[in-house]
Amino acid sequence: VIWANIIVAGTSNGVNLTDGLDGLATGASVMVFAAYVLISIWQFNQNCQWNPGTKCYEVRDPHDLAIVAACGMGACFGFLWWNASPAKIFMGDTGSLALGGGLAGLAILTRTELLVVILGGLFVTITLSVIIQVASFKTTGKRVFRKAPLQHHFELLGWAEVTIVIRFWIISLILAMIGLATLKVR
């Protein structure tokens, strides 16, 4: 129960911190949900109920989890139409915390709690930037970044908002692919 609470708090707050630029959290969430669609389908095909052995997955209802992940991906993808720069509709805390909770639920139910750290590596990186900034400022009085979370640091460096969002999406896609590649390694 404690581990599940840590996963839920970490992912929901990570997505919430990422939701600072138009479409950033939404686009990154699309990629992580898409990874969970593939993971759930993989687990369905390698389920111990149908393929008993040492390399099978003991996951309950992986096909249903794939549908839930696909719904999350589709909802984010559809929302991105209105949330992309310039945003006409904002997600806010309610949406970003719910997306993070959905990702945490998929991680727990697919038994990939540690893999979500790689899949959602962008969320982890942005959360770490806030932790580093606060810790540095409280201990030394100096800031590591111009502003935290990390995406706002790049804004203050003069990067355009759309440039930051697209580059962070690319990073999120790469991390999702790395996470998918390590799934088989387990």
PDB file of all heavy atoms in Angstrom, residues 117-130:
ATOM      1  N   VAL A 117       9.360   4.726 -14.421  1.00  0.00           N
ATOM      2  CA  VAL A 117      10.391   5.758 -14.224  1.00  0.00           C
ATOM      3  C   VAL A 117      11.093   6.047 -15.550  1.00  0.00           C
ATOM      4  O   VAL A 117      11.429   7.196 -15.846  1.00  0.00           O
ATOM      5  CB  VAL A 117      11.407   5.325 -13.141  1.00  0.00           C
ATOM      6  CG1 VAL A 117      12.543   6.303 -13.028  1.00  0.00           C
ATOM      7  CG2 VAL A 117      10.698   5.149 -11.805  1.00  0.00           C
ATOM      8  N   ILE A 118      11.285   5.018 -16.368  1.00  0.00           N
ATOM      9  CA  ILE A 118      11.901   5.217 -17.682  1.00  0.00           C
ATOM     10  C   ILE A 118      10.862   5.725 -18.676  1.00  0.00           C
ATOM     11  O   ILE A 118      11.114   6.689 -19.402  1.00  0.00           O
ATOM     12  CB  ILE A 118      12.534   3.911 -18.197  1.00  0.00           C
ATOM     13  CG1 ILE A 118      13.642   3.446 -17.254  1.00  0.00           C
ATOM     14  CG2 ILE A 118      13.095   4.094 -19.612  1.00  0.00           C
ATOM     15  CD1 ILE A 118      14.167   2.065 -17.538  1.00  0.00           C
ATOM     16  N   LEU A 119       9.699   5.080 -18.716  1.00  0.00           N
ATOM     17  CA  LEU A 119       8.645   5.486 -19.659  1.00  0.00           C
ATOM     18  C   LEU A 119       8.264   6.949 -19.465  1.00  0.00           C
ATOM     19  O   LEU A 119       8.091   7.686 -20.423  1.00  0.00           O
ATOM     20  CB  LEU A 119       7.410   4.602 -19.489  1.00  0.00           C
ATOM     21  CG  LEU A 119       7.542   3.132 -19.847  1.00  0.00           C
ATOM     22  CD1 LEU A 119       6.302   2.370 -19.420  1.00  0.00           C
ATOM     23  CD2 LEU A 119       7.802   2.960 -21.329  1.00  0.00           C
ATOM     24  N   GLY A 120       8.104   7.346 -18.221  1.00  0.00           N
ATOM     25  CA  GLY A 120       7.765   8.730 -17.901  1.00  0.00           C
ATOM     26  C   GLY A 120       8.989   9.513 -17.470  1.00  0.00           C
ATOM     27  O   GLY A 120       8.913  10.365 -16.593  1.00  0.00           O
ATOM     28  N   GLY A 121      10.113   9.227 -18.100  1.00  0.00           N
ATOM     29  CA  GLY A 121      11.377   9.873 -17.733  1.00  0.00           C
ATOM     30  C   GLY A 121      11.341  11.391 -17.819  1.00  0.00           C
ATOM     31  O   GLY A 121      12.023  12.078 -17.051  1.00  0.00           O
ATOM     32  N   LEU A 122      10.550  11.924 -18.735  1.00  0.00           N
ATOM     33  CA  LEU A 122      10.424  13.377 -18.820  1.00  0.00           C
ATOM     34  C   LEU A 122       9.809  13.937 -17.546  1.00  0.00           C
ATOM     35  O   LEU A 122      10.287  14.934 -17.000  1.00  0.00           O
ATOM     36  CB  LEU A 122       9.582  13.776 -20.037  1.00  0.00           C
ATOM     37  CG  LEU A 122       9.353  15.278 -20.197  1.00  0.00           C
ATOM     38  CD1 LEU A 122      10.661  15.979 -20.544  1.00  0.00           C
ATOM     39  CD2 LEU A 122       8.306  15.558 -21.244  1.00  0.00           C
ATOM     40  N   PHE A 123       8.780  13.263 -17.042  1.00  0.00           N
ATOM     41  CA  PHE A 123       8.137  13.696 -15.801  1.00  0.00           C
ATOM     42  C   PHE A 123       9.117  13.594 -14.632  1.00  0.00           C
ATOM     43  O   PHE A 123       9.156  14.468 -13.758  1.00  0.00           O
ATOM     44  CB  PHE A 123       6.891  12.855 -15.516  1.00  0.00           C
ATOM     45  CG  PHE A 123       5.892  12.824 -16.646  1.00  0.00           C
ATOM     46  CD1 PHE A 123       5.406  11.622 -17.111  1.00  0.00           C
ATOM     47  CD2 PHE A 123       5.451  13.984 -17.247  1.00  0.00           C
ATOM     48  CE1 PHE A 123       4.481  11.578 -18.149  1.00  0.00           C
ATOM     49  CE2 PHE A 123       4.537  13.960 -18.289  1.00  0.00           C
ATOM     50  CZ  PHE A 123       4.049  12.751 -18.746  1.00  0.00           C
ATOM     51  N   VAL A 124       9.922  12.538 -14.626  1.00  0.00           N
ATOM     52  CA  VAL A 124      10.917  12.346 -13.565  1.00  0.00           C
ATOM     53  C   VAL A 124      11.964  13.454 -13.627  1.00  0.00           C
ATOM     54  O   VAL A 124      12.329  14.039 -12.598  1.00  0.00           O
ATOM     55  CB  VAL A 124      11.584  10.955 -13.691  1.00  0.00           C
ATOM     56  CG1 VAL A 124      12.733  10.802 -12.719  1.00  0.00           C
ATOM     57  CG2 VAL A 124      10.553   9.849 -13.499  1.00  0.00           C
ATOM     58  N   THR A 125      12.439  13.763 -14.820  1.00  0.00           N
ATOM     59  CA  THR A 125      13.464  14.795 -14.992  1.00  0.00           C
ATOM     60  C   THR A 125      12.958  16.158 -14.537  1.00  0.00           C
ATOM     61  O   THR A 125      13.667  16.897 -13.841  1.00  0.00           O
ATOM     62  CB  THR A 125      13.906  14.866 -16.468  1.00  0.00           C
ATOM     63  OG1 THR A 125      14.352  13.580 -16.873  1.00  0.00           O
ATOM     64  CG2 THR A 125      15.008  15.885 -16.672  1.00  0.00           C
ATOM     65  N   ILE A 126      11.749  16.488 -14.909  1.00  0.00           N
ATOM     66  CA  ILE A 126      11.182  17.784 -14.526  1.00  0.00           C
ATOM     67  C   ILE A 126      10.965  17.844 -13.015  1.00  0.00           C
ATOM     68  O   ILE A 126      11.228  18.865 -12.381  1.00  0.00           O
ATOM     69  CB  ILE A 126       9.893  18.057 -15.327  1.00  0.00           C
ATOM     70  CG1 ILE A 126      10.283  18.370 -16.775  1.00  0.00           C
ATOM     71  CG2 ILE A 126       9.078  19.180 -14.711  1.00  0.00           C
ATOM     72  CD1 ILE A 126       9.149  18.535 -17.736  1.00  0.00           C
ATOM     73  N   THR A 127      10.525  16.730 -12.423  1.00  0.00           N
ATOM     74  CA  THR A 127      10.361  16.687 -10.970  1.00  0.00           C
ATOM     75  C   THR A 127      11.708  16.830 -10.281  1.00  0.00           C
ATOM     76  O   THR A 127      11.834  17.568  -9.287  1.00  0.00           O
ATOM     77  CB  THR A 127       9.683  15.371 -10.550  1.00  0.00           C
ATOM     78  OG1 THR A 127       8.419  15.283 -11.220  1.00  0.00           O
ATOM     79  CG2 THR A 127       9.467  15.315  -9.055  1.00  0.00           C
ATOM     80  N   LEU A 128      12.732  16.153 -10.791  1.00  0.00           N
ATOM     81  CA  LEU A 128      14.070  16.265 -10.208  1.00  0.00           C
ATOM     82  C   LEU A 128      14.615  17.688 -10.309  1.00  0.00           C
ATOM     83  O   LEU A 128      15.321  18.147  -9.412  1.00  0.00           O
ATOM     84  CB  LEU A 128      15.030  15.281 -10.875  1.00  0.00           C
ATOM     85  CG  LEU A 128      14.863  13.821 -10.492  1.00  0.00           C
ATOM     86  CD1 LEU A 128      15.793  12.939 -11.324  1.00  0.00           C
ATOM     87  CD2 LEU A 128      15.123  13.614  -9.005  1.00  0.00           C
ATOM     88  N   SER A 129      14.278  18.394 -11.400  1.00  0.00           N
ATOM     89  CA  SER A 129      14.739  19.780 -11.525  1.00  0.00           C
ATOM     90  C   SER A 129      14.163  20.655 -10.415  1.00  0.00           C
ATOM     91  O   SER A 129      14.853  21.534  -9.895  1.00  0.00           O
ATOM     92  CB  SER A 129      14.385  20.352 -12.905  1.00  0.00           C
ATOM     93  OG  SER A 129      13.004  20.644 -13.018  1.00  0.00           O
ATOM     94  N   VAL A 130      12.923  20.397 -10.040  1.00  0.00           N
ATOM     95  CA  VAL A 130      12.305  21.156  -8.946  1.00  0.00           C
ATOM     96  C   VAL A 130      12.958  20.786  -7.619  1.00  0.00           C
ATOM     97  O   VAL A 130      13.274  21.664  -6.802  1.00  0.00           O
ATOM     98  CB  VAL A 130      10.778  20.914  -8.901  1.00  0.00           C
ATOM     99  CG1 VAL A 130      10.161  21.554  -7.672  1.00  0.00           C
ATOM    100  CG2 VAL A 130      10.124  21.434 -10.168  1.00  0.00           C
TER     101      VAL A 130
END
